Structures are given as structure tokens and as C-alpha cells.
Amino acid sequence: MLDAVKNYLNSSVTPGEAGSQLWATVYIVAITLGVSVAVICMNWLERKILAHMQIRLGPMRVGPHGLLQPIADALKLLIKEDIIPANADKVVFWSAPVVVTMTAFTTFLVVPFGRTHAVTDMNIGVLFMLGISSLGVLGIIMAGWSSNSHYPLMGSLRSSAQMVSYEIAMGLAIVCAVLMTSLQTGTGTLSMIGIVEAQSAQGTWFIFKFFPLGFVAFGVFAIAMIAETNRAPFDLPEAESELVAGFHTEYSGFRWSLFFLAEYSAMLAVSSIAVTLWLGGWLRPFANTLSGSAWDLAFSLIPALSFLAMGAGCFLGTIRMPKIIQMRVQTIGLGVFGALLALIGLTLLLPGVRERVQDIYWFVAKVACFMYLYIWYRGTFPRYRFDQLMKVGWKVLLPIGLAVLIATAVVGLRQELWAAIVGVLQ
Amino acid sequence: MSQPIDTSYLDLDTKDETFLDSTEMVLNMGPQHPSTHGVLRVILKLDGEKVLGTECVIGYLHRGVEKIGENRTYTMFNPYVDRMDYVAAVSNGLGYCETVEKLLSAEAPPRAQYIRVILTELCRISSHQVWLGTHALDIGAITPLFYAFRDREEILKIFEKYCGARLTTHAFRIGGCIYETYDGFEQDVKKFCTFFLPKLDEYEELLTTNRIWVTRTKNVGVLNPEDCIALGVTGPVLRASGVKWDLRKAQPYECYKDFDFEIPTGVNGDTYDRYLVRIAEMRQSVRILQQAVEAIPTGPIMAKVPKVIKPPVGEVYHSIEAPKGELGYFIVSDGSTQPYRVRVRPPSFVNLQALDKMVRGLLVADVVAVIGTLDIVLGEVDR
Amino acid sequence: MSVTPLLRKVFLVDLLKGMSVTFHNQSEKERITEQYPLERPVIFENYRGQPRLNTNPDTGESLCIVCNLCALACPEQLITVKGERNPVTKRKEVVSWTYDLSRCMFCGLCAEACSTDALELTQDYELALYSRDGMVLDQAALERGPEPVRYER
């Protein structure tokens, strides 16, 4: 037993590559739990951050500063009455949320949180993620169809049309990044871990490669991924103030929460793709300019410091709670939560833990930045009308994606191209 | 001309013979809808996504205000007029008091006029803020609503300090004002003006040049000036189409002659121009406020009006520039203490009739934007 | 001159400006939310809330002289005042005084019309009840004035 743990800790490949079923299963369970916890955190964060942007407070009552609100929401959804519309296709109605959720979770099989911290490393990793998330579109159409009402049907058709259109732009941007992986070694790779290692070998994150080409490709992907996940400003299929309701209108209670889970998991998944392809995955910032063991040490302290800072923030909140007797339980709860965070922070200071947690922390931190951006966009922008949305996808992003792809190819192969031209001219 | 809609399944008086084409469908934007600004029912005839015709069904908020007016004395009817356009209650009261004063051939003293103008301009800003927040919300920008209501909060605090109520203010009386300005009234208004102008710049930064906002609102719901005048549309909708008509300048009432302000107009008459016109109007209102607050004269605040108001037999029509358009009151007096007839000309009611012309050929998603840009309040439409 | 709009469009300047507005509004000093019922709003003295019949602080007698002006002024006619002349002091005294809070629109005409300082609208706005029984206030309830109920956990 201890041998198994030692073998795992000393291995240099992912459990899938090592062929270890036990650890792969452990990873799958951990990732499922982790994504679920992340979705719960996203729920709270979205409500709080959006509220702060709207100069309000957000949830404050359920738990200190609303920290238990997502749990209350989950409980409420679980105990709601399960309504199935009459004449709905029951099998399809039941299976649509399952399809959407399962595809969203399956994409996390190849997401690398570190060199050894992925379930497995397929050599077609990125393609796998794109393909599985396209399957999610099927689930949306199934949901709209089985509701037996023409508003959800129209909404689901629109939603699926939007997702399919923006997948093209996403694909072009991804090919651009994959192109860049072949630059030094001569062979490109679709494997997620391979792409991050290519960035590490070439010494620069792909977002800064051939500036501004990498940046433009990243920009195209960043906009396309928002439309892919039906978030503002591309959330017309979900918007209540427009006439056609979304595909999940007829779903209530637990089934709706599955769609909700799937939406946030999809957001996490496409953000993971963006982070892996352009932002260097698990690599720490300034790995080349600020290199050396001193800088390594400094950067390895940052995870611990961030948790300690969060704990300090909780303590500050505890001190500033209203000092009345009704808030006693909440104040104590917030204090305990702050102590927990501080404890995690202290644990992360230990040398053994520090090294191993680095990769995971940087990956999660970068994905968290994307989540904040998602919420920020939702708070700021109005939404596009459907035809304008499609226009942006096909007439703006697609040409830019093509152009940046060709430009990257030309710039990346400039020596070979120049030699070929010279050879032809001679 | 307009295509008649097949309403044979509805319980309306007008039944017509045409049947729906096979590609057309009727969609009901029911009285309960997040974006119809009240209980408005719009029946849309669609061809796919395109709107071919609309029919508005109103009356869900009819409370018989005009009938109530026939059974109350002139003073007693004053609180009821606030409830029509409940978003901008002060201007309703102003219109009514001025109409009765016209009937009595009385005039409010200068100090009362200045107080009335200050409160009415504050009310104009607060009504436009509600418009801004809800219109942005319909188009999808969810934050300006909260910013707008924060500014409105400051104005409502001033109203509360002045007359005791935030929304249904009942601030004015026939013949002038009954409440004297409280200590610090001028400072509060000045503070509000300095607080508000940077916020207006913030809203412009958030929306005016935002490409999503511009694509959603440009060339949506175009109304040319001839149609405006033919339909009787007034207010910012008329001014955005290019017609420079504002009752504060064309038929000045109260002491608007003393102030220096401009009438913003638009060029195209689309939703974007109406947005720009209303933002510019808010700036001009702040300008009026700043001038008025410096120059409030001293003196009485109530004219010599009898305690029991019994106007001479006659009829009068007087209108003011409410935030939503021309708000008119037509009062027929038969010499007794209760009016014979009080007829209100609500701006939203007349502006709503332009909806049909504006949404022909637009997509369904634009109908919501156009209803928002007309700035209707169902309390006024239905009375 | 036409380069600047193009650059602004390409670099998404308008979108970034909007994002900066929402970003700096996140700071705590922009928030004005009051957490009711822990924090209650400041109500100014002019506020037209629940009515109260004032009494003479020295003698405890009602200040109302049954002139009936408030009942005549009310647009909803929800005040009924009955009094009888006291043969000793030659002044009218209140026999019954009712105020129907359910139809009141808090316009303030009654308090304006009152010839003494008897009828006054207080700053109490928390008038919700569980049944309609408490809505018609009699003289005793009106003289007690507003009794705001604070709920403890």
C-alpha cells in the first residue's frame, strides 16, 4: 500500500500513461469532486462579484457573507417537484441533461494540472476535448426537442447553431497554437501535456509568441469560448427578457441543476484549454526571465501566501461583522472558515507539499482569472441579437482566425520558406 | 396600410376576415412579461422572426382615475394624479395644479414657481434614470439598472425631505406650494448636481460607444418626423426624430423663461438617438437645476386661492413637458366644487400607438428594445 | 483621421472602457445597500406615515376639537369623527374617532386640514399586518401612536 503511494509520488508520468488503474480512478474521482466544488464556488463567486459590480451586496444571510448560499440552492433544487411536460418524450427528456453533464465532465480526462497530474495524456488531447464538447450540443438539441414546446425547441436550435458556429473559430485558433508547438522540434503535438512542454521548451507562453499573432489567436479563442458556453454577451438563448426561452425552460429541480453544472463545467473546460494552449498551463509566470532557485522559492511561496491572505480577509470580515447577538453564529462560522484557510496556507508552506502543489495551483489560478473575466463580461456588456451574434462568428472571427493561422504558419516557417523561395529563384 | 391581424379567436370587438398565411404565426407577449414595463399585452404577427404587425391590448391597469376625478373636489383629486405616471409623480401634480390655476386665472407666486421647477427637473432626471436602467436591462446590460437607481435614491431622499413621500409626492397644491423648502434644500440640490454629472459620464462610457449597444440600437425602430407628427408622438421620441419641439420653450410655463438651456435633438429617429437625446436632456436638467437653485426668490409660496375651489364655468386644456412627452389635462368645470370632467392626455398612451409603425420588419428581439425606448408607464397608458 | 476609429475598433477600446467602469464600481465605498432589518433607513420628519392623534402632554386630554375638517378633507372619506358638546367647558369632546388605514393613501390632506395640532402623520412606515382587523384604528390606537414591532430571533 505504501509502495503504491511511493510509486505514485515518484513517478514522472500521468497515471494513465503509467497504466495504473488505481491512481487513474483516484484521479477521476478527485477531478469529479474538484469540478463540482469549483462549480459551487463559481456559483457563490458569480453572485457576489456580480453584485459588487452592481454596487449591491449579494447573498449575506445564508451563512456569513452568503458562503452557504450555494448549498442552500443545491438543497432547494434537490427537493423541488420533478415536473415533466405532458407528451414529452420521456426517455430523451431524462437523458438530455445526462448527456450534457457527462460530456462536460469527460473533457476533464485530459486536462493537465501538472506534468503528472492528469488522468491520462492522450496524444490527441485537444482534439478529444473539442470533440467531446461538440457532443454536448447534441444534448442541448435533445433537451429542446423533448420538451414538446416550440419555445424551448427554437431556443435549443439557436443555442446549438451558435455553439457550432463558434466551434469553427475555436478550432482555427487551436490549430494556430498547435502549429506553434512544432516550431522547435519539427513535430507538433495535439497532446495537452505536450503543448505545455513545448511552451516550456521554447521559453515563452504561446500568447506572447510571434507577438501579436499569439495574442490575436488567443483573443479569437477567448471570444469564441464565451459564445460556446452561452454566456454574456452571447447569451441570447438563455435570456429571459427576450421572447424565446432557453432550452432548459421545461426542466426544474435536479434536472435543471445538471444543466447548470454542465454549463459551468464547460466554462471550466474551455478555460482549461485556453490556459493550456496559450498561458503555459501549469508553468509559473516568468519562468525564464526570473529563473534561478531564489526566484523558484519565492514563487513557490505564493500559493501559501494567497491562502493566508484569504484567511486574513476572512478574519477582517469577522471583525467587521455587526456585533449583535443574532449574528453570533455567523461570526463564529466566518472565523472558523478563515482559520481553515489559514491552516491550508500554513500546510502549503511545508517544503514537501510546496513543490507538488505548485503546478496545480498555477493552473487553477489561471483558470480562476478566466472565471473572473466571465463574470466581468456578464456584468458589463449588453447581449447581441441572434443574427448579429452569428455575424460576429462567421464574418469576424472566422476570417481573423484564418488570417492568424496563415500568418503563424508563414512566420513560423520563415526560414524554410525563404530557403524554398531562394531555391526556386536560383 | 397596416395589415389586419386575424383576431377572431380574441374576444375583441374588431373581427376581420383575413386568415393567417401558412408561414405566419401569432405570438402573444402577455401581460406578464419581464420587459413590457408594466401590464402591456402585445400580440405580434410574425413571419419566422420578422414582425409583420402588432396589436397592443391595454387596460390591465385601468383604475378609473378620470371617473374618480368627477367625484372628488379639485383639492382632493390632487393626490390621485400622482398615481398615473408613478415613476414621475411630481410632474403629474405640476400639470394638474397648473391646469386648475389656469381655470381659476390664478398664478403661483415666483418662489413657488422656482420650487416647482426644481422639483420637476429632479423628477425628470429620476424618470429618465428609471428609463435608462430598464432599457439597458432589456437589451442585456444588467448593471446600469443599479447605478441608475442609486442616483434615483438621492433624488427620492430630497423629495422625502421636502414633502414627506418618496414616490407619490403630492408636492404641489393649487395656487402654489404648501411645503416650504427645508433647511439645506439648496445645498442638497447642489450636492446632487455635483454628484450626478460624473455618474452620467460613467453611463456614457459604459454604453454610448459600446459596439454591442450601438449594433443593438442603431437603425432599430426608426420613426421619421412626419410619422411622429401624424401620430401625435411627443417628448424625447419626437425630438430624436429631428423635430425641435419642447413645451418648455415653445409654450413656456412656470418660470422656464428665466433659464438658459438647450433642447437636444436627434437625427435618425432610431433607438440610439432616443438614448442620446434622453442622456442630453438629463444634462440640460442639471443645468436648469444649477441655475434655479442659485436664484430662488423670496416671498410667499401660495397664491390667493380660495379655500374651497369653485372655478367659473368653462373648460381649459393645459399641457406640460413631462419626462415622457406632452402631458395634458382637459378640465371642464360646471361651477361646482367637483369638476364635470377631467380628461388626461397621457404621453405614453399616444406614444404607444407609434409602436406598430416602429416594429414593422424588425426581429422579435427588437420589439423589446423598441418598447423600452418609447418609455411607457402603464399607469399612464391605462389610467 | 479615420485611423483612430479603426484602431479603437480593433483594440476593443470601447469594451475595455465599459469594463473599467464596472471594475472600479466594485469597491466598497460605492455600495449603499442597507441591510434591513439590521440597519434601518433614516426617515425624515416630514414623512407622511401612520397617523397619530396627539394629546396635551400636561393634561393627557386629546387636542382634537371635533371640527370635522379632517374628515371633510379626506379624498377617501375614511375618517369618522363623532363628538358631543361638553356642557361644562362648552367645548366639543371626542366620542369616537376612527381612521381606516386600509384605504389611506397618505396624502396628508387630513393633517394639513387639522386646525389644532391633533392629527399628525408620523414616520412609521412598517404597517404590515397579518389580518385586516388591525387596519381600522380607533382613538385609543391612534393616541398610542406607532408601535413598531421589532422581531428578535
Side-chain angles (χ1 to χ4, degrees), chain A residues 393-407:
Chain A
W394 289 94
K395 286 191 181 175
V396 175
L397 286 185
L398 183 59
I400 295 181
L402 275 175
V404 81
L405 179 59
I406 296 175

Side-chain angles (χ1 to χ4, degrees), chain A residues 51-234:
Chain A
H52 287 187
M53 285 181 181
Q54 295 165 347
I55 56 172
R56 348 175 241 121
L57 285 169
M60 293 288 278
R61 299 221 158 263
V62 188
H65 286 273
L67 282 167
L68 298 178
Q69 181 75 43
I71 302 179
D73 284 342
L75 264 178
K76 177 209 75 167
L77 285 168
L78 284 173
I79 61 180
K80 257 189 158 175
E81 179 186 352
D82 186 24
I83 304 176
I84 302 184
N87 301 332
D89 196 330
K90 289 211 174 30
V91 174
V92 181
F93 192 83
W94 169 87
S95 56
V98 174
V99 166
V100 182
T101 318
M102 283 301 114
T103 56
F105 274 93
T106 312
T107 50
F108 280 96
L109 271 179
V110 291
V111 165
F113 294 87
R115 176 59 189 89
T116 62
H117 299 306
V119 176
T120 179
D121 182 34
M122 295 184 193
N123 52 3
I124 51 160
V126 175
L127 193 59
F128 176 78
M129 284 191 82
L130 268 189
I132 299 282
S133 44
S134 301
L135 274 183
V137 179
L138 178 66
I140 290 176
I141 300 180
M142 285 163 67
W145 166 261
S146 61
S147 299
N148 195 37
S149 160
H150 63 276
Y151 292 145
L153 181 63
M154 281 169 70
S156 80
L157 288 177
R158 276 198 188 166
S159 185
S160 55
Q162 172 186 332
M163 289 169 83
V164 163
S165 318
Y166 281 86
E167 267 172 18
I168 300 179
M170 271 171 75
L172 284 175
I174 289 179
V175 171
C176 193
V178 166
L179 255 185
M180 292 187 198
T181 63
S182 68
L183 286 172
Q184 214 152 10
T185 56
T187 55
T189 166
L190 281 171
S191 132
M192 300 279 268
I193 294 187
I195 294 177
V196 179
E197 297 205 309
Q199 291 181 67
S200 160
Q202 293 181 25
T204 151
W205 290 357
F206 284 160
I207 190 177
F208 301 119
K209 190 93 185 162
F210 301 145
F211 199 81
L213 290 177
F215 200 72
V216 174
F218 171 71
V220 167
F221 188 84
I223 298 176
M225 79 181 185
I226 304 175
E228 178 76 14
T229 44
N230 283 339
R231 290 279 293 190
F234 303 105

